[in-house]
Amino acid sequence: MRGTFDGIAAALATHGLILRGGFSFASDEAAPASLSGAPAKSVLLVGQAGAVPWPHFRRWLERQARGIANPLDTWSRAVIGAVAQEFGARMVSPSDRPYLPFQQWAMRAEGLKPSPLGILMHPQYGLWHAYRGALLFEEEIFLPEPHQTIHLCDTCADKPCLKSCPVDAYSEQGFGHQACLGHVRGPRGEPCRTGGCLDRNACPYGTDYRYAPEVQAFHMASFMR
């Protein structure tokens, strides 16, 4: 299976994507279907660290007709789907309906925990990473258990990520979606529209992987639609 991992990783790397861990489903677990329709026995998560895929995505987007509703999702499906086909896996996406438990899968695969913003905190990438899809296999694969990692949010006393939003969109009660959306769309939301979420940018961890303003503006524009 090592050769398969290496082959998948190499195929994904040409698009700036990486493998983000995986695991085998328990025998009594309700697993999603594999390519054949039988319950999958294993899953490998696919994602990114920082904004490495951005140039690959932009080059693809320039060749597409205008007006694609969800271009990043469309690109991710095409790229990861091609890799899945090459290696006999079924590709699934975080936007598939009904929703699959991607965050739970990610926590299980990499040993991560959510930050106060809901984004999983990574010990190296901070909040600047994402999961773009997953590969479901009909055969069982054996992966080492994820290492115990320090949850950086537990060591952060000041919690600047909860103090930078002008409308306090994040709190112990959760995310105030309407408050955030109203502010970002409003006359005082220009810093958020052009540079991304102020709370997320206030996090002191993983800053080497922080998305460039262009990338953050793209994601914010998607959020506002």
Side-chain angles (χ1 to χ4, degrees):
M1 198 68 188
R2 181 69 260 170
T4 300
F5 291 157
D6 291 343
I8 294 173
L12 292 170
T14 62
H15 306 284
L17 297 171
I18 58 175
L19 286 173
R20 299 289 307 268
F23 58 89
S24 292
F25 296 102
S27 58
D28 59 349
E29 193 171 355
S34 63
L35 189 62
S36 71
K41 292 187 177 179
S42 303
V43 59
L44 291 177
L45 295 172
V46 177
Q48 66 186 74
V52 177
W54 183 252
H56 303 273
F57 164 66
R58 290 294 303 176
R59 285 194 292 271
W60 171 87
L61 187 60
E62 289 169 0
R63 301 192 299 268
Q64 309 307 307
R66 293 185 179 273
I68 299 176
N70 298 291
L72 184 56
D73 186 46
T74 302
W75 173 81
S76 299
R77 287 175 182 274
V79 168
I80 303 172
V83 174
Q85 184 175 22
E86 180 180 353
F87 290 91
R90 177 191 170 209
M91 180 268 179
V92 291
S93 168
S95 61
D96 286 345
R97 303 290 183 93
Y99 291 124
L100 292 165
F102 263 82
Q103 188 168 48
Q104 284 75 20
W105 287 355
M107 292 168 66
R108 184 170 170 181
E110 295 194 278
L112 307 183
K113 296 179 182 178
S115 69
L117 305 188
I119 304 168
L120 296 181
M121 172 58 73
H122 191 279
Q124 181 177 352
Y125 313 137
L127 302 178
W128 305 104
H129 63 100
Y131 299 90
R132 295 289 167 214
L135 304 175
L136 295 169
F137 293 88
E138 192 167 349
E139 69 270 19
E140 187 171 1
I141 59 176
F142 295 93
L143 292 169
E145 291 291 321
H147 296 295
Q148 287 294 111
T149 60
I150 296 174
H151 184 50
L152 296 174
C153 299
D154 289 342
T155 69
C156 183
D158 292 337
K159 298 289 190 294
C161 66
L162 296 178
K163 301 174 181 177
S164 301
C165 176
V167 293
D168 296 324
Y170 291 97
S171 68
E172 294 181 358
Q173 285 69 48
F175 176 51
H177 180 273
Q178 291 304 318
C180 175
L181 187 60
H183 174 74
V184 172
R185 287 175 170 171
R188 297 184 180 180
E190 180 66 17
C192 306
R193 290 193 295 270
T194 59
C197 172
L198 301 184
D199 274 343
R200 188 177 187 180
N201 278 290
C203 176
Y205 302 116
T207 54
D208 287 346
Y209 296 88
R210 180 181 286 143
Y211 301 165
E214 176 191 7
V215 182
Q216 296 201 53
F218 171 87
H219 288 294
M220 193 60 76
S222 298
F223 168 71
M224 289 191 297
R225 285 200 293 267

